[in-house]
Amino acid sequence: MKLLDNYGRLLKDLRISVTPRCNLHCLYCHPLGLEAQEPPGLLTVEEVDHFLEAASLLGLSAVRFTGGEPLVRKELPEMIARARAKEGIEDMAITTNGLLFPKRAKELVAAGLNRVNISLDAITPEVFARITRGGKVERVLEAIETALELGLHPVKLNAVVIRGMNEEEVVPLAALSLERPLHVRFIEYMHLDNSDPEEYRRRFVSGQETRSRIEAVYGALEPVPHDPSSPARVYRIPGAQGTLGFINPVTEPFCSHCSRLRLTSDKKLRPCLLTDLEMDISWAFAAENPVEALIDAILIATNRKPAFGNTLPTLRKRVMLGIGG
């Protein structure tokens, strides 16, 4: 079946945050120490299985496990295997900072993982360490090599561009797409960290500015056909093996094509990333027939999905870490 919201959008993508915990402390994701206020709220494997069963029966076909850092959950391979076992779920991915990926990659692939998004906001070691508060970029680069060696496709690299932090990194990051089939994606900085509004505006870098910076070095980028429900507008440096994507939720909102629902690690269902609207569905997990109850919960959330999110600087009830990437 097809799951349509009140605006005719087809919902097919799930983001499931399995933990708010992370082994890095990136400046834009762990703001003001607020991560300490997030409840552990760990979904069990059985609860994830029930939710996936309900979602697959409603026609959702793509699952991405997120966090925090999902690889800090030892049960992640079993969650992936449960997802792959559901009829209709065709796409199985994770978003990770990569630090634990080389050690766990083979068991994840054996469980059914077929693609990976790796966060990489800078390639210069000193810049990466400053953004992540001590992370080592060499470990992330090792994770990228591991993903390529294991044949995962596509391997997507995500960079949030913030003025005064890493805007000078976009050209060397784009260069990673030249010789290998990597999909490097530049994401506009969203006000999901409750930073001071004026400071946020000073640090904001538009996707167009990022693209212009890259084209100043490599010339005009070539457009690449892509899924219209994807948030990225995709291009290629002429002759490159990989691609560049620009995700511009602030200057070019893609709400009219949004296909996503998010489940937080403490059992809140969020139909929109950029609003505070969320539903506590712990009652459904505790029901006598949880799959049937979760179907009802997903249908209710679908009907409440708003037409547009709020991209303006706003005091959020939750920062990104608590919502899930």
Side-chain angles (χ1 to χ4, degrees):
M1 68 173 291
K2 292 184 177 181
L3 183 62
L4 300 175
D5 70 5
N6 291 331
Y7 302 95
R9 294 172 296 196
L10 175 65
L11 301 190
K12 58 186 179 66
D13 297 295
L14 283 175
R15 305 286 186 268
I16 301 178
S17 175
V18 295
T19 178
R21 302 302 182 217
C22 189
N23 48 359
L24 286 179
H25 301 279
C26 301
L27 291 170
Y28 60 85
C29 193
H30 281 226
L32 308 175
L34 290 178
E35 71 279 3
Q37 299 176 21
E38 284 293 341
L42 296 183
L43 289 160
T44 67
V45 172
E46 198 68 26
E47 287 168 337
V48 168
D49 186 71
H50 289 153
F51 185 77
L52 290 167
E53 180 69 19
S56 64
L57 289 171
L58 288 171
L60 287 104
S61 58
V63 177
R64 187 179 337 148
F65 288 110
T66 72
E69 171 49 50
L71 292 184
V72 304
R73 287 293 302 271
K74 65 181 180 181
E75 308 94 337
L76 185 62
E78 187 175 353
M79 294 179 183
I80 290 172
R82 299 275 188 115
R84 292 296 284 182
K86 304 301 178 194
E87 185 176 354
I89 293 185
E90 303 165 349
D91 186 28
M92 183 64 256
I94 60 170
T95 294
T96 175
N97 61 34
L99 299 189
L100 298 173
F101 186 73
K103 181 179 178 180
R104 304 199 63 187
K106 289 185 178 179
E107 63 174 328
L108 295 171
V109 172
L113 182 70
N114 59 278
R115 65 184 182 91
V116 63
N117 287 18
I118 299 176
S119 299
L120 182 64
D121 294 314
I123 197 167
T124 303
E126 296 78 12
V127 179
F128 184 85
R130 183 161 67 94
I131 293 174
T132 58
R133 295 178 176 141
K136 295 187 181 299
V137 73
E138 294 83 2
R139 294 178 64 183
V140 185
L141 297 177
E142 181 187 355
I144 295 168
E145 293 300 327
T146 300
L148 290 172
E149 289 168 5
L150 290 173
L152 295 178
H153 182 79
V155 177
K156 295 181 179 180
L157 310 181
N158 293 341
V160 178
V161 184
I162 303 177
R163 196 177 313 282
M165 291 189 185
N166 65 338
E167 75 272 29
E168 299 292 340
E169 294 288 300
V170 300
V171 170
L173 284 169
L176 294 175
S177 72
L178 290 172
E179 304 295 335
R180 292 177 297 175
L182 294 169
H183 300 252
V184 185
R185 309 189 321 161
F186 301 98
I187 304 171
E188 287 183 340
Y189 173 33
M190 292 174 282
H191 193 260
L192 288 169
D193 59 357
N194 285 341
S195 59
D196 175 78
E198 287 305 313
E199 180 181 2
Y200 166 76
R201 291 186 180 96
R202 286 195 299 272
R203 291 187 169 187
F204 177 78
V205 179
S206 71
Q208 182 56 53
E209 179 181 333
T210 296
R211 179 178 167 184
S212 296
R213 191 182 291 268
I214 295 167
E215 289 187 324
V217 175
Y218 291 110
L221 301 178
E222 300 172 346
V224 175
H226 59 275
D227 180 351
S229 70
S230 168
R233 299 296 167 259
V234 185
Y235 298 85
R236 177 179 283 111
I237 296 171
Q241 286 192 36
T243 63
L244 305 179
F246 298 89
I247 300 177
N248 304 332
V250 179
T251 62
E252 299 177 77
F254 36 82
C255 300
S256 61
H257 300 291
C258 182
S259 60
R260 286 166 287 286
L261 290 174
R262 283 178 163 80
L263 177 66
T264 69
S265 61
D266 59 342
K267 303 175 187 175
K268 306 294 194 304
L269 195 52
R270 294 181 66 101
C272 175
L273 173 64
L274 287 167
T275 70
D276 283 330
L277 175 65
E278 65 180 22
M279 293 171 45
D280 184 346
I281 62 169
S282 55
W283 60 269
F285 287 103
E288 184 175 348
N289 186 335
V291 173
E292 185 177 296
L294 286 163
I295 287 174
D296 289 342
I298 293 170
L299 290 173
I300 293 168
T302 298
N303 286 332
R304 293 182 181 177
K305 189 172 176 68
F308 301 101
N310 177 17
T311 61
L312 297 173
T314 305
L315 184 63
R316 312 277 179 175
K317 292 181 181 178
R318 279 191 163 187
V319 296
M320 191 67 192
L321 191 68
I323 298 171

